[in-house]
Amino acid sequence: MKFRTIKGTKDILPEETAGWQNVESVIRRVMRNFNYQEIRTPTFEQTGLFARSIGELTDIVSKEMYTFLDRSEESITLRPEGTAATLRAYIQNNLGEQSPLTKVYYIGPMFRQERPQAGRLRQFHQFGAEALGASSPQLDVEMMVLPLEIYKQLGIDHFSLKINSVGCEKCRPAYKQLLQTELRKIFTQLSHDSQVRVEQNPLRVLDSKDKKDRELTAGMPLMNEHLCEECTVHFASVRSLLDALNIPYEVDGRLVRGLDYYTKTAFEITSTALGSQDALAGGGRYDLLVEELGGKQTPGVGFAAGIERLLIVLSKLNENKIASSAPVIFFVGLDETARIWTFLKTNELRRQGTCAEVDYLGRSVKSQMREANRQQAQYVIVVGEQELKTKTAKLKNMHTGEETAVSLEKIEIPS
Ligand code: AMP
């Protein structure tokens, strides 16, 4: 019986991890510069946390969550996204009392039982950030700048940023009614999914990916044309800050996003280098969510971005060229005494901070040289009886073929 990965999950193999580590280090560096601190929450939580925050009627909660009863009959869910757990941790640990504004980021696996396809997995990875405690539009823009800066530093500049305002508890109810009245007129022609949404969550009908739904709803009133004064001012500030930062964007009045908790700003970043699953990142403001989850009234804003999709874009652009992880020195031992000596020396160099390697398979000299080549070692030192007696050997530069004498007591690598 051969075991295999579960559908929609993937191994990240040794040849790929250098690319992941590079992306992660850029994320951490940019987050550090923007003064965000990392938070690590458990990968599973009480089911109610997600149902309550993401919304019972969303695709994520109604169709995609990995939910099961554990041995004590508690309903557990593998986290489908990072915001709910971050806010749970914020409330549980009273982070709001320690500082008026909490800025945190996360990197980690998320789980959704979606239909797997290119760029869509069941275990995937996201990085994201949340800023809790301020309603300033500057933070909405910071949430857009953060992923864009990470993409830029990784060499991606072909993306598009779409923004919208989905209003607030003051202006949304009246607009919802207006939209519902319009949608009821074309109810029977809508797709099944959209029909279900007309009564429960009509805004999402506008965001439908179904072509016919989109044609039918083309002239419908949009939320951003029915904002209250406060939301209008907020949305105008977001746009003027983006203008001031010279960040191109498009206002998309149909953009709603698949999570119910957004208020005011919602945004999405897509890449032309991706196929049908072209969303790289999304986010928005959620001023009611902390309270909804049992905390004090606290405004918040955040974003989440997929790492697998980012890596797809990088591979298409042939970016993410990373420093080689090949050994600096590969020792070739000519006899048993030399093999033991090279093993001990390798350990000494490693402890001093040099990546060194040695043969463990008792191979012939020729095979050891071939292995050094395969691993793309920068230098090779061949050690035998003669070298151990004179305490000197030849350091061979594997790129140029040049050989220089080195003292075996103090091996100095040319810089
Ligand atoms: P969301 O949490 O749905 O707003 O998703 C944010 C980002 O996570 C998306 O823009 C994608 O880049 C990524 N993402 C979401 N779902 C998946 C998935 N099933 N597989 C791979 N990446 C995903």
Side-chain angles (χ1 to χ4, degrees), residues 112 114 119-121 124 126 257 259 279-281 304 306 309:
R112 294 183 197 171
E114 296 190 78
R120 203 207 269 157
L121 292 152
F124 59 99
Q126 285 186 335
R257 304 203 14 81
L259 304 101
L280 269 180
R309 291 203 194 156

Side-chain angles (χ1 to χ4, degrees), residues 327 329-343 346 357-384 396 398:
I329 295 189
F330 196 103
F331 283 101
V332 172
L334 295 184
D335 57 30
E336 199 43 38
T337 317
R339 281 177 184 280
I340 291 178
W341 186 91
T342 53
F343 173 73
T346 305
E357 189 53 297
V358 69
D359 174 52
Y360 301 92
L361 303 177
R363 283 178 278 203
S364 68
V365 175
K366 205 168 149 197
S367 306
Q368 290 185 59
M369 287 305 285
R370 214 179 289 137
E371 181 60 20
N373 251 325
R374 196 190 65 78
Q375 293 198 26
Q376 299 181 338
Q378 292 173 38
Y379 295 97
V380 165
I381 298 179
V382 180
V383 181
K396 180 170 182 179
M398 296 296 277

Side-chain angles (χ1 to χ4, degrees), residues 60 80-82 112 114 119-126 151 257-259 261-262 268-269 274 277-283 304-310:
I60 296 181
E81 55 103 56
R112 294 183 197 171
E114 296 190 78
R120 203 207 269 157
L121 292 152
R122 292 184 167 177
Q123 174 172 338
F124 59 99
H125 296 75
Q126 285 186 335
Y151 299 149
R257 304 203 14 81
L259 304 101
Y261 49 62
Y262 291 117
E268 198 155 82
I269 300 169
L274 290 170
Q277 299 301 313
D278 65 351
L280 269 180
I307 300 187
E308 282 83 357
R309 291 203 194 156
L310 170 54

Side-chain angles (χ1 to χ4, degrees), residues 158-213:
H158 294 290
F159 38 71
S160 86
L161 168 65
K162 286 187 182 153
I163 64 167
N164 193 20
S165 174
V166 294
C168 67
E169 77 278 20
K170 276 180 256 152
C171 49
R172 197 153 46 192
Y175 166 74
K176 228 169 151 174
Q177 271 188 3
L178 177 73
L179 182 63
Q180 262 165 346
T181 311
E182 291 303 312
L183 290 172
R184 282 183 196 127
K185 294 181 193 160
I186 50 158
F187 186 83
T188 53
Q189 299 170 65
L190 290 169
S191 67
H192 175 72
D193 277 357
S194 288
Q195 286 185 347
V196 175
R197 286 175 182 144
V198 170
E199 296 309 317
Q200 312 288 358
N201 193 352
L203 270 75
R204 288 223 50 215
V205 178
L206 297 184
D207 206 10
S208 168
K209 300 279 173 282
D210 185 282
K211 214 173 142 211
K212 188 153 169 250
D213 283 352

Side-chain angles (χ1 to χ4, degrees), residues 237-289:
S237 307
V238 168
R239 293 195 315 262
S240 73
L241 287 166
L242 285 171
D243 291 336
L245 287 166
N246 281 322
I247 297 175
Y249 63 89
E250 185 193 320
V251 175
D252 178 355
R254 287 167 164 261
L255 179 76
V256 178
R257 304 203 14 81
L259 304 101
D260 277 356
Y261 49 62
Y262 291 117
T263 50
K264 296 194 172 114
T265 314
F267 67 91
E268 198 155 82
I269 300 169
T270 53
S271 163
T272 46
L274 290 170
S276 64
Q277 299 301 313
D278 65 351
L280 269 180
R285 180 162 279 287
Y286 44 78
D287 289 343
L288 307 174
L289 189 53

Side-chain angles (χ1 to χ4, degrees), residues 21-31 149-151 153-154:
Q21 286 165 359
N22 182 47
V23 165
E24 285 160 9
S25 73
V26 170
I27 295 168
R28 290 182 198 287
R29 190 173 67 226
V30 173
M31 291 293 181
E149 182 58 26
I150 289 165
Y151 299 149
Q153 293 209 11
L154 284 164

Side-chain angles (χ1 to χ4, degrees), residues 12 14 20 43 68 84 116 119 155 164 208 214 224 226 234 239 246 274 295 313 316 335 352 372 375:
I12 301 167
W20 279 77
T43 42
F68 56 94
N164 193 20
S208 168
R214 290 191 86 84
N224 67 30
H226 292 83
H234 190 93
R239 293 195 315 262
N246 281 322
L274 290 170
V313 176
K316 294 213 166 132
D335 57 30
Q352 290 165 1
Q375 293 198 26

